[in-house]
Amino acid sequence: MDKNDCKKRIMATATRLFAERGLNGVSIRELSTAAGVSISMVSYHFGGKESLYSSVLQEQFSTFEHIEELKGIADPLDKIEGYIRWTITRHRNNPYLLRYYTSELTNPTQYFTPVVQPAIKSVIRFLIDAVEDGISNNQFRKELNAADTVLAMAGMVNYYFLSKLATQDIVSHSPERDEELIRHYMDIFVKGICMNKA
Amino acid sequence: MDKNDCKKRIMATATRLFAERGLNGVSIRELSTAAGVSISMVSYHFGGKESLYSSVLQEQFSTFEHIEELKGIADPLDKIEGYIRWTITRHRNNPYLLRYYTSELTNPTQYFTPVVQPAIKSVIRFLIDAVEDGISNNQFRKELNAADTVLAMAGMVNYYFLSKLATQDIVSHSPERDEELIRHYMDIFVKGICMNKA
DNA sequence: CAATGTCAATCGAACGTTTGTTATGTTTAT
DNA sequence: ATAAACATAACAAACGTTCGATTGACATTG
């Protein structure tokens, strides 16, 4: 057995179970049984159930640091498309992230302020900067409120994944449609839904 | 004391507490103390903690039935604006709804399928019909995928409220801005963000 | 080089609390 | 007088944590 096998198994199992049923919906008895380790290992390795949750949360939101890589993009519109593609990839690679995201936004724990809020804010700021850039060089309409525009954009993408359980028999959520979805969302966001009245 | 005062107080307190900390985050001891009633009243009036949660959930999602009132609107664009205004009003009048909404979407209980899914689906279908109407009478662009368009629209509005905790010191969430927000979202959705290249 | 000591990792049992429910008793209104 | 509404106390079960005991790897020592 690996040296850190036990600790890793607890993390992996906790990530899945906390996402599925929340911090209070999972007992460390069930968790340790599912992970195939002894019940005392949670306190031993993590210092307790709450600390384990904190570790999981930090790991989940560490993926937000990769927003930095999008800052090299020059064109505002490409930045926005980069954000959409990055967000979709993030949700595809980690199906549990959205659960922690929405759970902390609607039922914040003590870790919301130090862990979750900074992660979300940095992304929003990145997008606001992009939109303001686009406005000041006459690429985007000057009537736009940058902050509102950004929340609209982020809402589009995230809600697609959030609503999955309720809409999956109306709208396909297959990853094969992702590229089409990106084009579609960019199309709506850029041109709107109405006919051009030339 | 009113005849149903006890039952009503339990419902009101449960609605708030379950929203704030989830089904497993609240004990019926804490709940009954906060409601100012005896601990046995939950089982007496509702048959148990789970049944109480079910009652709260059904009450919360009963507000979705009012979507019927929007079906009288003729113009597709007015229907969409009606949906935005209706959704904002719904969140303003009931600050807890979004928590049950997202909680059930990401951590569904046994009540998701009978209570939550039908409510969401009926709204989505209403919007899809509106968009398809708009496409077939050449009001909207024919390239649009109606279902994707609808999720984008619903995402815009709901995410504004969902993200509040993380974005409230970047974007004002005051109800006084609601009308401006409606105009703004309609504007983006109808015309897009880019300059007209007429 | 074998014997011994050390320490971190892991286990299962046990601890004291808290959980949701219920049995029993009391009040109130008709 | 009766029955519904409410309160109190007690219940078994489950909770998170902690306490010794055991193991195995590795360094120290005779």
PDB file of all heavy atoms in Angstrom, chain D residues 10-22:
ATOM      1  P    DA D  10     -37.477  11.321  32.787  1.00  0.00           P
ATOM      2  OP1  DA D  10     -37.779  10.788  34.123  1.00  0.00           O
ATOM      3  OP2  DA D  10     -36.345  12.244  32.588  1.00  0.00           O
ATOM      4  O5'  DA D  10     -37.309  10.083  31.796  1.00  0.00           O
ATOM      5  C5'  DA D  10     -38.463   9.319  31.469  1.00  0.00           C
ATOM      6  C4'  DA D  10     -38.259   8.617  30.145  1.00  0.00           C
ATOM      7  O4'  DA D  10     -38.346   9.566  29.061  1.00  0.00           O
ATOM      8  C3'  DA D  10     -36.890   7.919  30.008  1.00  0.00           C
ATOM      9  O3'  DA D  10     -37.103   6.533  29.844  1.00  0.00           O
ATOM     10  C2'  DA D  10     -36.267   8.559  28.764  1.00  0.00           C
ATOM     11  C1'  DA D  10     -37.469   9.143  28.046  1.00  0.00           C
ATOM     12  N9   DA D  10     -37.170  10.294  27.198  1.00  0.00           N
ATOM     13  C8   DA D  10     -36.557  11.463  27.556  1.00  0.00           C
ATOM     14  N7   DA D  10     -36.430  12.328  26.571  1.00  0.00           N
ATOM     15  C5   DA D  10     -36.994  11.680  25.490  1.00  0.00           C
ATOM     16  C6   DA D  10     -37.177  12.054  24.145  1.00  0.00           C
ATOM     17  N6   DA D  10     -36.786  13.225  23.651  1.00  0.00           N
ATOM     18  N1   DA D  10     -37.782  11.169  23.322  1.00  0.00           N
ATOM     19  C2   DA D  10     -38.176   9.989  23.826  1.00  0.00           C
ATOM     20  N3   DA D  10     -38.067   9.519  25.069  1.00  0.00           N
ATOM     21  C4   DA D  10     -37.463  10.426  25.859  1.00  0.00           C
ATOM     22  P    DC D  11     -35.872   5.541  29.719  1.00  0.00           P
ATOM     23  OP1  DC D  11     -36.247   4.302  30.423  1.00  0.00           O
ATOM     24  OP2  DC D  11     -34.648   6.278  30.096  1.00  0.00           O
ATOM     25  O5'  DC D  11     -35.805   5.220  28.152  1.00  0.00           O
ATOM     26  C5'  DC D  11     -36.986   4.744  27.490  1.00  0.00           C
ATOM     27  C4'  DC D  11     -36.718   4.616  26.002  1.00  0.00           C
ATOM     28  O4'  DC D  11     -36.789   5.927  25.413  1.00  0.00           O
ATOM     29  C3'  DC D  11     -35.339   4.076  25.678  1.00  0.00           C
ATOM     30  O3'  DC D  11     -35.443   2.683  25.421  1.00  0.00           O
ATOM     31  C2'  DC D  11     -34.919   4.837  24.424  1.00  0.00           C
ATOM     32  C1'  DC D  11     -35.900   5.991  24.318  1.00  0.00           C
ATOM     33  N1   DC D  11     -35.256   7.338  24.350  1.00  0.00           N
ATOM     34  C2   DC D  11     -35.315   8.141  23.208  1.00  0.00           C
ATOM     35  O2   DC D  11     -35.901   7.717  22.211  1.00  0.00           O
ATOM     36  N3   DC D  11     -34.735   9.362  23.237  1.00  0.00           N
ATOM     37  C4   DC D  11     -34.119   9.776  24.337  1.00  0.00           C
ATOM     38  N4   DC D  11     -33.576  10.991  24.322  1.00  0.00           N
ATOM     39  C5   DC D  11     -34.052   8.972  25.509  1.00  0.00           C
ATOM     40  C6   DC D  11     -34.619   7.765  25.468  1.00  0.00           C
ATOM     41  P    DA D  12     -34.140   1.755  25.484  1.00  0.00           P
ATOM     42  OP1  DA D  12     -34.597   0.445  25.996  1.00  0.00           O
ATOM     43  OP2  DA D  12     -33.059   2.481  26.182  1.00  0.00           O
ATOM     44  O5'  DA D  12     -33.707   1.575  23.967  1.00  0.00           O
ATOM     45  C5'  DA D  12     -34.696   1.295  22.976  1.00  0.00           C
ATOM     46  C4'  DA D  12     -34.236   1.808  21.630  1.00  0.00           C
ATOM     47  O4'  DA D  12     -34.039   3.246  21.700  1.00  0.00           O
ATOM     48  C3'  DA D  12     -32.901   1.229  21.155  1.00  0.00           C
ATOM     49  O3'  DA D  12     -32.999   0.946  19.767  1.00  0.00           O
ATOM     50  C2'  DA D  12     -31.896   2.334  21.440  1.00  0.00           C
ATOM     51  C1'  DA D  12     -32.750   3.571  21.208  1.00  0.00           C
ATOM     52  N9   DA D  12     -32.280   4.758  21.919  1.00  0.00           N
ATOM     53  C8   DA D  12     -31.823   4.831  23.206  1.00  0.00           C
ATOM     54  N7   DA D  12     -31.476   6.035  23.583  1.00  0.00           N
ATOM     55  C5   DA D  12     -31.720   6.820  22.468  1.00  0.00           C
ATOM     56  C6   DA D  12     -31.561   8.192  22.221  1.00  0.00           C
ATOM     57  N6   DA D  12     -31.088   9.055  23.123  1.00  0.00           N
ATOM     58  N1   DA D  12     -31.907   8.651  21.001  1.00  0.00           N
ATOM     59  C2   DA D  12     -32.371   7.781  20.092  1.00  0.00           C
ATOM     60  N3   DA D  12     -32.571   6.470  20.219  1.00  0.00           N
ATOM     61  C4   DA D  12     -32.221   6.046  21.439  1.00  0.00           C
ATOM     62  P    DA D  13     -31.795   0.151  19.030  1.00  0.00           P
ATOM     63  OP1  DA D  13     -32.403  -0.920  18.216  1.00  0.00           O
ATOM     64  OP2  DA D  13     -30.743  -0.171  20.027  1.00  0.00           O
ATOM     65  O5'  DA D  13     -31.212   1.247  18.036  1.00  0.00           O
ATOM     66  C5'  DA D  13     -32.119   2.010  17.248  1.00  0.00           C
ATOM     67  C4'  DA D  13     -31.392   3.192  16.629  1.00  0.00           C
ATOM     68  O4'  DA D  13     -31.147   4.192  17.647  1.00  0.00           O
ATOM     69  C3'  DA D  13     -30.028   2.841  16.025  1.00  0.00           C
ATOM     70  O3'  DA D  13     -29.981   3.351  14.698  1.00  0.00           O
ATOM     71  C2'  DA D  13     -29.017   3.535  16.933  1.00  0.00           C
ATOM     72  C1'  DA D  13     -29.823   4.680  17.523  1.00  0.00           C
ATOM     73  N9   DA D  13     -29.387   5.075  18.869  1.00  0.00           N
ATOM     74  C8   DA D  13     -29.202   4.266  19.957  1.00  0.00           C
ATOM     75  N7   DA D  13     -28.804   4.918  21.027  1.00  0.00           N
ATOM     76  C5   DA D  13     -28.727   6.239  20.615  1.00  0.00           C
ATOM     77  C6   DA D  13     -28.373   7.425  21.280  1.00  0.00           C
ATOM     78  N6   DA D  13     -27.998   7.459  22.574  1.00  0.00           N
ATOM     79  N1   DA D  13     -28.404   8.579  20.581  1.00  0.00           N
ATOM     80  C2   DA D  13     -28.774   8.524  19.289  1.00  0.00           C
ATOM     81  N3   DA D  13     -29.135   7.478  18.549  1.00  0.00           N
ATOM     82  C4   DA D  13     -29.093   6.356  19.284  1.00  0.00           C
ATOM     83  P    DA D  14     -28.737   3.000  13.752  1.00  0.00           P
ATOM     84  OP1  DA D  14     -29.278   2.739  12.407  1.00  0.00           O
ATOM     85  OP2  DA D  14     -27.860   2.017  14.430  1.00  0.00           O
ATOM     86  O5'  DA D  14     -27.961   4.385  13.707  1.00  0.00           O
ATOM     87  C5'  DA D  14     -28.675   5.572  13.418  1.00  0.00           C
ATOM     88  C4'  DA D  14     -27.792   6.768  13.691  1.00  0.00           C
ATOM     89  O4'  DA D  14     -27.627   6.914  15.115  1.00  0.00           O
ATOM     90  C3'  DA D  14     -26.381   6.641  13.105  1.00  0.00           C
ATOM     91  O3'  DA D  14     -26.099   7.791  12.327  1.00  0.00           O
ATOM     92  C2'  DA D  14     -25.470   6.547  14.331  1.00  0.00           C
ATOM     93  C1'  DA D  14     -26.290   7.249  15.399  1.00  0.00           C
ATOM     94  N9   DA D  14     -26.001   6.805  16.764  1.00  0.00           N
ATOM     95  C8   DA D  14     -25.948   5.523  17.231  1.00  0.00           C
ATOM     96  N7   DA D  14     -25.673   5.431  18.515  1.00  0.00           N
ATOM     97  C5   DA D  14     -25.534   6.758  18.914  1.00  0.00           C
ATOM     98  C6   DA D  14     -25.238   7.338  20.162  1.00  0.00           C
ATOM     99  N6   DA D  14     -25.013   6.633  21.285  1.00  0.00           N
ATOM    100  N1   DA D  14     -25.171   8.691  20.219  1.00  0.00           N
ATOM    101  C2   DA D  14     -25.396   9.387  19.100  1.00  0.00           C
ATOM    102  N3   DA D  14     -25.683   8.951  17.873  1.00  0.00           N
ATOM    103  C4   DA D  14     -25.740   7.608  17.850  1.00  0.00           C
ATOM    104  P    DC D  15     -24.745   7.928  11.531  1.00  0.00           P
ATOM    105  OP1  DC D  15     -25.114   8.476  10.219  1.00  0.00           O
ATOM    106  OP2  DC D  15     -23.975   6.670  11.621  1.00  0.00           O
ATOM    107  O5'  DC D  15     -23.968   9.057  12.332  1.00  0.00           O
ATOM    108  C5'  DC D  15     -24.609  10.319  12.542  1.00  0.00           C
ATOM    109  C4'  DC D  15     -23.894  11.089  13.619  1.00  0.00           C
ATOM    110  O4'  DC D  15     -24.094  10.430  14.878  1.00  0.00           O
ATOM    111  C3'  DC D  15     -22.388  11.118  13.453  1.00  0.00           C
ATOM    112  O3'  DC D  15     -22.040  12.183  12.584  1.00  0.00           O
ATOM    113  C2'  DC D  15     -21.925  11.390  14.887  1.00  0.00           C
ATOM    114  C1'  DC D  15     -23.048  10.818  15.753  1.00  0.00           C
ATOM    115  N1   DC D  15     -22.703   9.609  16.558  1.00  0.00           N
ATOM    116  C2   DC D  15     -22.278   9.753  17.877  1.00  0.00           C
ATOM    117  O2   DC D  15     -22.174  10.907  18.348  1.00  0.00           O
ATOM    118  N3   DC D  15     -21.973   8.646  18.610  1.00  0.00           N
ATOM    119  C4   DC D  15     -22.096   7.441  18.053  1.00  0.00           C
ATOM    120  N4   DC D  15     -21.797   6.379  18.811  1.00  0.00           N
ATOM    121  C5   DC D  15     -22.536   7.273  16.710  1.00  0.00           C
ATOM    122  C6   DC D  15     -22.815   8.370  16.000  1.00  0.00           C
ATOM    123  P    DG D  16     -20.615  12.182  11.913  1.00  0.00           P
ATOM    124  OP1  DG D  16     -20.639  13.162  10.818  1.00  0.00           O
ATOM    125  OP2  DG D  16     -20.260  10.779  11.629  1.00  0.00           O
ATOM    126  O5'  DG D  16     -19.653  12.730  13.054  1.00  0.00           O
ATOM    127  C5'  DG D  16     -19.859  14.033  13.564  1.00  0.00           C
ATOM    128  C4'  DG D  16     -18.825  14.341  14.629  1.00  0.00           C
ATOM    129  O4'  DG D  16     -18.970  13.396  15.706  1.00  0.00           O
ATOM    130  C3'  DG D  16     -17.375  14.215  14.159  1.00  0.00           C
ATOM    131  O3'  DG D  16     -16.582  15.231  14.772  1.00  0.00           O
ATOM    132  C2'  DG D  16     -16.985  12.815  14.618  1.00  0.00           C
ATOM    133  C1'  DG D  16     -17.780  12.659  15.899  1.00  0.00           C
ATOM    134  N9   DG D  16     -18.147  11.271  16.174  1.00  0.00           N
ATOM    135  C8   DG D  16     -18.641  10.355  15.282  1.00  0.00           C
ATOM    136  N7   DG D  16     -18.870   9.175  15.812  1.00  0.00           N
ATOM    137  C5   DG D  16     -18.512   9.334  17.138  1.00  0.00           C
ATOM    138  C6   DG D  16     -18.546   8.397  18.206  1.00  0.00           C
ATOM    139  O6   DG D  16     -18.895   7.218  18.203  1.00  0.00           O
ATOM    140  N1   DG D  16     -18.093   8.974  19.412  1.00  0.00           N
ATOM    141  C2   DG D  16     -17.666  10.278  19.536  1.00  0.00           C
ATOM    142  N2   DG D  16     -17.263  10.649  20.752  1.00  0.00           N
ATOM    143  N3   DG D  16     -17.642  11.159  18.540  1.00  0.00           N
ATOM    144  C4   DG D  16     -18.073  10.615  17.374  1.00  0.00           C
ATOM    145  P    DT D  17     -14.985  15.286  14.533  1.00  0.00           P
ATOM    146  OP1  DT D  17     -14.580  16.710  14.566  1.00  0.00           O
ATOM    147  OP2  DT D  17     -14.649  14.454  13.373  1.00  0.00           O
ATOM    148  O5'  DT D  17     -14.431  14.588  15.850  1.00  0.00           O
ATOM    149  C5'  DT D  17     -14.904  15.034  17.112  1.00  0.00           C
ATOM    150  C4'  DT D  17     -14.337  14.187  18.226  1.00  0.00           C
ATOM    151  O4'  DT D  17     -14.913  12.860  18.153  1.00  0.00           O
ATOM    152  C3'  DT D  17     -12.815  14.009  18.201  1.00  0.00           C
ATOM    153  O3'  DT D  17     -12.289  14.506  19.417  1.00  0.00           O
ATOM    154  C2'  DT D  17     -12.613  12.505  18.044  1.00  0.00           C
ATOM    155  C1'  DT D  17     -13.933  11.925  18.544  1.00  0.00           C
ATOM    156  N1   DT D  17     -14.315  10.612  17.956  1.00  0.00           N
ATOM    157  C2   DT D  17     -14.473   9.525  18.777  1.00  0.00           C
ATOM    158  O2   DT D  17     -14.299   9.559  19.977  1.00  0.00           O
ATOM    159  N3   DT D  17     -14.845   8.357  18.142  1.00  0.00           N
ATOM    160  C4   DT D  17     -15.067   8.194  16.786  1.00  0.00           C
ATOM    161  O4   DT D  17     -15.393   7.104  16.326  1.00  0.00           O
ATOM    162  C5   DT D  17     -14.872   9.373  15.972  1.00  0.00           C
ATOM    163  C7   DT D  17     -15.076   9.300  14.492  1.00  0.00           C
ATOM    164  C6   DT D  17     -14.511  10.513  16.591  1.00  0.00           C
ATOM    165  P    DT D  18     -10.679  14.570  19.621  1.00  0.00           P
ATOM    166  OP1  DT D  18     -10.396  15.755  20.440  1.00  0.00           O
ATOM    167  OP2  DT D  18     -10.016  14.381  18.320  1.00  0.00           O
ATOM    168  O5'  DT D  18     -10.417  13.277  20.532  1.00  0.00           O
ATOM    169  C5'  DT D  18     -11.267  13.038  21.640  1.00  0.00           C
ATOM    170  C4'  DT D  18     -10.939  11.705  22.277  1.00  0.00           C
ATOM    171  O4'  DT D  18     -11.493  10.624  21.481  1.00  0.00           O
ATOM    172  C3'  DT D  18      -9.436  11.395  22.415  1.00  0.00           C
ATOM    173  O3'  DT D  18      -9.231  10.779  23.675  1.00  0.00           O
ATOM    174  C2'  DT D  18      -9.190  10.427  21.269  1.00  0.00           C
ATOM    175  C1'  DT D  18     -10.497   9.647  21.294  1.00  0.00           C
ATOM    176  N1   DT D  18     -10.836   8.909  20.047  1.00  0.00           N
ATOM    177  C2   DT D  18     -11.260   7.605  20.153  1.00  0.00           C
ATOM    178  O2   DT D  18     -11.368   7.020  21.214  1.00  0.00           O
ATOM    179  N3   DT D  18     -11.566   7.005  18.960  1.00  0.00           N
ATOM    180  C4   DT D  18     -11.484   7.572  17.684  1.00  0.00           C
ATOM    181  O4   DT D  18     -11.775   6.931  16.689  1.00  0.00           O
ATOM    182  C5   DT D  18     -11.014   8.934  17.654  1.00  0.00           C
ATOM    183  C7   DT D  18     -10.893   9.641  16.336  1.00  0.00           C
ATOM    184  C6   DT D  18     -10.724   9.529  18.819  1.00  0.00           C
ATOM    185  P    DC D  19      -7.775  10.862  24.353  1.00  0.00           P
ATOM    186  OP1  DC D  19      -7.812  11.879  25.406  1.00  0.00           O
ATOM    187  OP2  DC D  19      -6.753  10.919  23.295  1.00  0.00           O
ATOM    188  O5'  DC D  19      -7.680   9.423  25.045  1.00  0.00           O
ATOM    189  C5'  DC D  19      -8.895   8.725  25.377  1.00  0.00           C
ATOM    190  C4'  DC D  19      -8.660   7.234  25.314  1.00  0.00           C
ATOM    191  O4'  DC D  19      -9.049   6.740  24.006  1.00  0.00           O
ATOM    192  C3'  DC D  19      -7.209   6.817  25.523  1.00  0.00           C
ATOM    193  O3'  DC D  19      -7.136   5.808  26.509  1.00  0.00           O
ATOM    194  C2'  DC D  19      -6.751   6.332  24.154  1.00  0.00           C
ATOM    195  C1'  DC D  19      -8.055   5.883  23.515  1.00  0.00           C
ATOM    196  N1   DC D  19      -8.067   5.996  22.024  1.00  0.00           N
ATOM    197  C2   DC D  19      -8.526   4.930  21.232  1.00  0.00           C
ATOM    198  O2   DC D  19      -8.928   3.903  21.789  1.00  0.00           O
ATOM    199  N3   DC D  19      -8.530   5.068  19.883  1.00  0.00           N
ATOM    200  C4   DC D  19      -8.092   6.199  19.328  1.00  0.00           C
ATOM    201  N4   DC D  19      -8.117   6.288  17.990  1.00  0.00           N
ATOM    202  C5   DC D  19      -7.619   7.293  20.111  1.00  0.00           C
ATOM    203  C6   DC D  19      -7.612   7.154  21.443  1.00  0.00           C
ATOM    204  P    DG D  20      -5.730   5.625  27.290  1.00  0.00           P
ATOM    205  OP1  DG D  20      -6.062   4.984  28.580  1.00  0.00           O
ATOM    206  OP2  DG D  20      -4.976   6.888  27.247  1.00  0.00           O
ATOM    207  O5'  DG D  20      -4.948   4.572  26.406  1.00  0.00           O
ATOM    208  C5'  DG D  20      -4.617   3.368  27.008  1.00  0.00           C
ATOM    209  C4'  DG D  20      -5.092   2.197  26.150  1.00  0.00           C
ATOM    210  O4'  DG D  20      -5.661   2.676  24.923  1.00  0.00           O
ATOM    211  C3'  DG D  20      -3.945   1.259  25.766  1.00  0.00           C
ATOM    212  O3'  DG D  20      -4.298  -0.077  26.069  1.00  0.00           O
ATOM    213  C2'  DG D  20      -3.745   1.507  24.281  1.00  0.00           C
ATOM    214  C1'  DG D  20      -5.117   1.975  23.830  1.00  0.00           C
ATOM    215  N9   DG D  20      -5.030   2.880  22.684  1.00  0.00           N
ATOM    216  C8   DG D  20      -4.612   4.186  22.700  1.00  0.00           C
ATOM    217  N7   DG D  20      -4.644   4.760  21.521  1.00  0.00           N
ATOM    218  C5   DG D  20      -5.119   3.764  20.674  1.00  0.00           C
ATOM    219  C6   DG D  20      -5.355   3.787  19.284  1.00  0.00           C
ATOM    220  O6   DG D  20      -5.198   4.730  18.491  1.00  0.00           O
ATOM    221  N1   DG D  20      -5.829   2.569  18.820  1.00  0.00           N
ATOM    222  C2   DG D  20      -6.033   1.455  19.589  1.00  0.00           C
ATOM    223  N2   DG D  20      -6.495   0.375  18.963  1.00  0.00           N
ATOM    224  N3   DG D  20      -5.825   1.418  20.900  1.00  0.00           N
ATOM    225  C4   DG D  20      -5.364   2.599  21.373  1.00  0.00           C
ATOM    226  P    DA D  21      -3.163  -1.154  26.061  1.00  0.00           P
ATOM    227  OP1  DA D  21      -3.579  -2.206  27.018  1.00  0.00           O
ATOM    228  OP2  DA D  21      -1.872  -0.464  26.232  1.00  0.00           O
ATOM    229  O5'  DA D  21      -3.223  -1.750  24.593  1.00  0.00           O
ATOM    230  C5'  DA D  21      -4.433  -2.327  24.112  1.00  0.00           C
ATOM    231  C4'  DA D  21      -4.211  -2.889  22.712  1.00  0.00           C
ATOM    232  O4'  DA D  21      -4.282  -1.811  21.751  1.00  0.00           O
ATOM    233  C3'  DA D  21      -2.853  -3.565  22.519  1.00  0.00           C
ATOM    234  O3'  DA D  21      -3.040  -4.797  21.846  1.00  0.00           O
ATOM    235  C2'  DA D  21      -2.067  -2.562  21.688  1.00  0.00           C
ATOM    236  C1'  DA D  21      -3.155  -1.846  20.903  1.00  0.00           C
ATOM    237  N9   DA D  21      -2.830  -0.465  20.556  1.00  0.00           N
ATOM    238  C8   DA D  21      -2.371   0.515  21.390  1.00  0.00           C
ATOM    239  N7   DA D  21      -2.162   1.667  20.803  1.00  0.00           N
ATOM    240  C5   DA D  21      -2.508   1.438  19.482  1.00  0.00           C
ATOM    241  C6   DA D  21      -2.514   2.266  18.338  1.00  0.00           C
ATOM    242  N6   DA D  21      -2.150   3.543  18.354  1.00  0.00           N
ATOM    243  N1   DA D  21      -2.925   1.720  17.173  1.00  0.00           N
ATOM    244  C2   DA D  21      -3.299   0.422  17.162  1.00  0.00           C
ATOM    245  N3   DA D  21      -3.328  -0.443  18.178  1.00  0.00           N
ATOM    246  C4   DA D  21      -2.926   0.133  19.307  1.00  0.00           C
ATOM    247  P    DT D  22      -1.800  -5.776  21.554  1.00  0.00           P
ATOM    248  OP1  DT D  22      -2.266  -7.161  21.765  1.00  0.00           O
ATOM    249  OP2  DT D  22      -0.623  -5.249  22.288  1.00  0.00           O
ATOM    250  O5'  DT D  22      -1.555  -5.572  20.005  1.00  0.00           O
ATOM    251  C5'  DT D  22      -2.665  -5.602  19.105  1.00  0.00           C
ATOM    252  C4'  DT D  22      -2.195  -5.246  17.705  1.00  0.00           C
ATOM    253  O4'  DT D  22      -2.004  -3.813  17.612  1.00  0.00           O
ATOM    254  C3'  DT D  22      -0.868  -5.884  17.301  1.00  0.00           C
ATOM    255  O3'  DT D  22      -1.044  -6.605  16.094  1.00  0.00           O
ATOM    256  C2'  DT D  22       0.100  -4.704  17.141  1.00  0.00           C
ATOM    257  C1'  DT D  22      -0.855  -3.551  16.843  1.00  0.00           C
ATOM    258  N1   DT D  22      -0.366  -2.201  17.231  1.00  0.00           N
ATOM    259  C2   DT D  22      -0.296  -1.212  16.285  1.00  0.00           C
ATOM    260  O2   DT D  22      -0.624  -1.378  15.135  1.00  0.00           O
ATOM    261  N3   DT D  22       0.160   0.001  16.758  1.00  0.00           N
ATOM    262  C4   DT D  22       0.557   0.304  18.045  1.00  0.00           C
ATOM    263  O4   DT D  22       0.952   1.417  18.351  1.00  0.00           O
ATOM    264  C5   DT D  22       0.471  -0.791  18.980  1.00  0.00           C
ATOM    265  C7   DT D  22       0.885  -0.577  20.412  1.00  0.00           C
ATOM    266  C6   DT D  22       0.016  -1.974  18.548  1.00  0.00           C
TER     267       DT D  22
END
